[in-house]
Structure formats: C-alpha cells, structure tokens
Amino acid sequence: MDVQVTTLANGLQIVTDRMPNVETASVGAWVDVGTRDERPTINGISHLLEHMAFKGTNRRSAYDIAAEIEAVGGHLNAYTSRENTAYYAKVLKADVPLAVDMIADILQHSTMEPEELERERAVIIQEIHQAHDTPDDIVFDYFQESAYPDQAMGRPVLGTADLVQSMERDTVLDYMRSHYSGSRMVFAAAGNLEHDQIVKLAEQSFSNLPEKCELERGSPTYTGGEFRDERDLEQVHLVLGVNGLSYLDDDFYTASVLSTLFGGGMSSRLFQEIREKRGLVYSIYSFLSSYTDGGLFGIYAGTGGDEVKELLPLITDEMAKLADGITEDEISRASAQLKASILMSLESTSSRCEQMARQISIYGRPMSVEETVEHIDSVNADGLKKVAERFLSGSMTMTAVGPCSQLGERPEFS
C-alpha cells in the first residue's frame, strides 16, 4: 500500500492509495454528516440532500451528470448513513480528472431546482414505502429507534414521508451550506493515480467549500426497549440486541471477533445450533454496528410464527453461553474470516477508497493492514469473555415484524 495524506488550506483532507497495476481508479468525498446531525423536524434531510446533489448544478443538468460519467464507462453513486454521507465514482485511470470535477461540482454548485425537488421527494417517499413493505429491512429501523428512543441516532435515515414532503428548497440548501465544509470532509482516491495529481485536482475543484462548520453532536444514550409490528406474514422477522461499543473502544476488535464466531458464518454458533441442528430458520446472523461514540450488538433471525416461541429462548441461551467456553479453534476461525475479508477487499479500488476515508474520519489517520491484522491477532479468550460480559450486563432491545403472538416476553440477562 502506498498511502499519502495532504490537508488543504480549507481543511479538506486528501488521502490516496496508489495501485499501479490496475487500470481503474475510485474517488470520493466522505462528509461527516448524517442522520444523527438532524433535528426532529428535518429528519431525512441528509438523505434528501444526497439525492438532490445529482439533480443539476450551475454547469450540468441532471441528465448531463448521468450522461458524462456513463460516456466514459464510469459510474457515480452516493449513500447516507447515520454518521456520514458519501459521494463516489469509479472510472478508468484517464478519466480521474472528470470524476473529481463532477463530485466537486455536485457538492458545491447544486441548484436544487424546485421542480427537481418535487420529483425527488416523490421518489424518496416511494423508497420509504418500499422499506416499510420489506419486513427484514424495516425491523432494523424499529431496532435502532427502540435502542435510542427520542434521539437523532434512533431516527430512520430515510426520514418519514410527511417530513420529506414538507422540506423546502431553502431548507435543503441551508443545511448543505451549514453542514458541508472542508473540515468535515475527506476526499479519498485509490487506483492507478498519483497523489500530487489528486491534490492538484482537489485544490482546483474544491475552492468554493467553506472552511469550517461548527456542529455539535450529542452522544447517543442507549436505553433499550421493544417494538412489535403485527402483520399477516409467513415469517416473524426478529432483531434482538444489546448496547455495543464504539470504533474507538479498546475492545472493538475483540467484539468484532466475538460477533463473527457467534453468528458470522456457516460455522458460527448461531448458524450451527439454530439452523443446522434444529432447522428453525433460513437466515440468522449476528452484527456489530459501531459508531464514533457508541454502538449496538445484535442478532437477526427470521422464522415461522409457530417456531418463534422456541427460537427466542435458544438465541438468548446461546448469548448467555458467550461468556464461557470459547475455544481456541473458534477464535482462530473467526480471526481468519476477519483478516481474509480485509485482505480480499484490498483488491478493490472502491473498498480501499472507502476504508481510507472511514479511517481518517474515525481515527484521524489511515491505518495499515499490518496494524489492523495485529489488532485481530491479539484477541484472546480472556478478552472475549470480558466483552461478552459487557454485552450481557445491560438491558435488551427486541423488535419484530410479522405474526408476533407467540413471541413471548422480551428477555433480560440481569
């Protein structure tokens, strides 16, 4: 890896990873702005802004944005999360200047014409309805809201149909001006490129970014609770979880290994005990959702309405067993899975680009693969026991969508 970092005068950090043996490059801007930065009355605005950035600038129409990138065989996309909004492109190496210019253009010169806003509101409302019609999707929004009630971290990324419909053009533009600045943005590039080339292009293209936006983020407070959405479905979609930990926690890598060995693959405890031995589910897995100052650890499962009564105590029993009896074979297997995932991702310019941007945003610096692997290799049984006990010491959150009548009460460990 050939990683270099430069900070421009406006605070924008440029990070590149040169991969001379590929013919492509991925570039993108990661903005430290997401759902957690929204007031209740504008929940969903970060996602709406992400959509509207592609709907025309002073120099390009919405069609021009799509046509220009596709004319060179590239693609341009974006996503919004609870802590970040990302705008990124993948192109052939000769077309890197175009990709940088287009991303800079949509982030600084979007016009957000009223007719485009009206159309995009309708598109996003359809997206919201689609999410509500997808039980194994919406159950995670319910989980987030139940874990962090009445907090920005618990609100849905998409917002609500009523709120999206009510957002005016000036509100979206003001949000962009007050939240998008050089100091809250990382521009990452990976592939067949030169660092100095990217720095020069960024200096030329991002000259209109404000230097600084003063934003205050309150830390999320995990509460825990439950929500059941009774629906006439074939399956109950269940998410069960507890307070997790942040990316910056000393036990983050230990928790990652723990989640992997518990429910991260076909050899994991959950998959073997609940699907292979008992045939109660088609899909079951655990997950670790971390943020800069908190997180969640949970399990998703889908099962029939009659089987859910048996499923819930089995999951909680397996969780309780995490504090004891983890074998060296399990640790070795889970660690190998994590390391392989990291190393395999290095073959992708897009993955490298995103990894670097996230590391700069979270840790303030890029991390070498060797450092990450060292963290994973340092995980041991004592550390796993400690993290498991942390997870089992707090209150439980449970959400379900489907025929919930046989679900039973929300379990607790203490």
Side-chain angles (χ1 to χ4, degrees):
M1 295 177 69
D2 183 12
V3 178
Q4 293 180 264
V5 182
T6 296
T7 302
L8 303 186
N10 62 4
L12 178 66
Q13 293 184 82
I14 314 294
V15 57
T16 66
D17 186 356
R18 186 168 181 268
M19 302 167 65
N21 297 321
V22 300
E23 295 299 317
T24 62
S26 294
V27 301
W30 272 259
V31 192
D32 284 337
V33 174
T35 310
R36 67 175 302 176
D37 300 297
E38 301 169 352
R39 300 188 309 276
T41 54
I42 56 170
N43 175 217
I45 197 170
S46 300
H47 177 252
L48 175 59
L49 171 53
E50 172 226 309
H51 276 240
M52 287 304 300
F54 291 87
K55 297 306 171 184
T57 70
N58 295 329
R59 293 163 46 204
R60 295 177 171 100
S61 68
Y63 174 79
D64 291 337
I65 291 170
E68 279 189 47
I69 197 72
E70 292 182 358
V72 298
H75 66 258
L76 184 66
N77 212 335
Y79 67 81
T80 305
S81 70
R82 288 186 164 82
E83 292 195 300
N84 305 98
T85 310
Y87 304 82
Y88 56 93
K90 185 167 185 175
V91 293
L92 297 176
K93 61 184 180 182
D95 301 311
V96 165
L98 172 65
V100 175
D101 179 70
M102 291 190 76
I103 292 171
D105 191 23
I106 66 175
L107 292 182
Q108 296 172 109
H109 307 297
S110 289
T111 54
M112 302 196 189
E113 297 300 329
E115 61 271 20
E116 290 286 355
L117 177 58
E118 194 64 30
R119 278 194 291 268
E120 208 56 29
R121 279 202 202 102
V123 170
I124 292 173
I125 288 169
Q126 290 300 319
E127 187 179 359
I128 291 169
H129 291 160
Q130 179 178 306
H132 277 273
D133 288 345
T134 310
D136 55 346
D137 186 352
I138 196 65
V139 71
F140 283 93
D141 275 353
Y142 293 153
F143 179 72
Q144 194 80 19
E145 184 177 5
S146 298
Y148 299 114
D150 302 316
Q151 300 174 62
M153 191 64 89
R155 298 185 192 114
V157 171
L158 301 182
T160 67
D162 287 345
L163 287 174
V164 170
Q165 187 61 54
S166 69
M167 289 180 200
E168 301 293 339
R169 175 176 180 266
D170 287 347
T171 304
V172 182
L173 282 170
D174 288 347
Y175 186 84
M176 190 174 201
R177 295 188 193 107
S178 62
H179 287 72
Y180 280 37
S181 68
S183 61
R184 299 188 68 85
M185 196 176 294
V186 176
F187 192 83
N192 198 330
L193 46 80
E194 298 290 340
H195 180 76
D196 290 344
Q197 172 204 22
I198 301 300
V199 171
K200 184 177 180 180
L201 289 170
E203 284 178 325
Q204 295 169 347
S205 301
F206 285 95
S207 58
N208 292 319
L209 277 180
E211 291 185 15
K212 197 169 185 180
C213 297
E214 296 294 339
L215 298 179
E216 292 185 9
R217 276 182 171 175
S219 295
T221 301
Y222 176 85
T223 301
E226 67 177 293
F227 182 85
R228 306 179 191 210
D229 183 358
E230 183 72 31
R231 298 192 191 182
D232 184 14
L233 302 173
E234 292 296 325
Q235 281 201 316
V236 177
H237 298 269
L238 174 71
V239 179
L240 192 67
V242 295
N243 194 21
L245 40 77
S246 78
Y247 287 115
L248 299 172
D249 195 290
D250 290 341
D251 291 326
F252 170 73
Y253 289 97
T254 303
S256 299
V257 172
L258 186 70
S259 180
T260 302
L261 72 83
F262 185 53
M266 293 174 64
S267 64
S268 67
R269 290 187 176 192
L270 284 176
F271 194 93
Q272 284 296 312
E273 183 65 30
I274 294 175
R275 173 172 162 156
E276 294 297 278
K277 291 182 182 179
R278 300 174 187 268
L280 286 175
V281 300
Y282 173 72
S283 177
I284 187 166
Y285 57 85
S286 61
F287 60 90
L288 182 69
S289 295
S290 290
Y291 310 110
T292 52
D293 52 2
L296 298 167
F297 171 67
I299 301 100
Y300 164 82
T303 191
D306 293 335
E307 288 81 11
V308 71
K309 189 174 183 179
E310 181 182 357
L311 174 66
L312 184 58
L314 283 173
I315 292 175
T316 53
D317 285 349
E318 289 300 316
M319 287 185 71
K321 292 176 187 176
L322 272 176
D324 294 297
I326 295 175
T327 67
E328 290 300 323
D329 282 347
E330 287 181 300
I331 299 172
S332 176
R333 192 162 55 243
S335 297
Q337 284 179 258
L338 284 176
K339 289 186 288 187
S341 176
I342 292 167
L343 294 171
M344 289 177 185
S345 71
L346 296 180
E347 299 175 4
S348 162
T349 60
S350 300
S351 294
R352 285 202 191 193
C353 195
E354 181 168 19
Q355 272 186 20
M356 292 187 302
R358 289 174 63 82
Q359 288 169 353
I360 294 277
S361 296
I362 295 166
Y363 304 109
R365 63 181 179 86
M367 292 176 63
S368 69
V369 176
E370 291 77 16
E371 183 180 358
T372 303
V373 168
E374 185 178 337
H375 281 301
I376 296 170
D377 284 338
S378 69
V379 174
N380 55 46
D382 288 341
L384 290 164
K385 178 181 173 64
K386 172 188 167 187
V387 171
E389 289 173 343
R390 284 180 64 178
F391 286 165
L392 300 175
S393 64
S395 61
M396 187 80 77
T397 296
M398 182 176 77
T399 56
V401 178
C404 304
S405 59
Q406 299 296 315
L407 185 56
E409 294 183 1
R410 173 172 53 129
E412 293 293 353
F413 293 112
S414 55

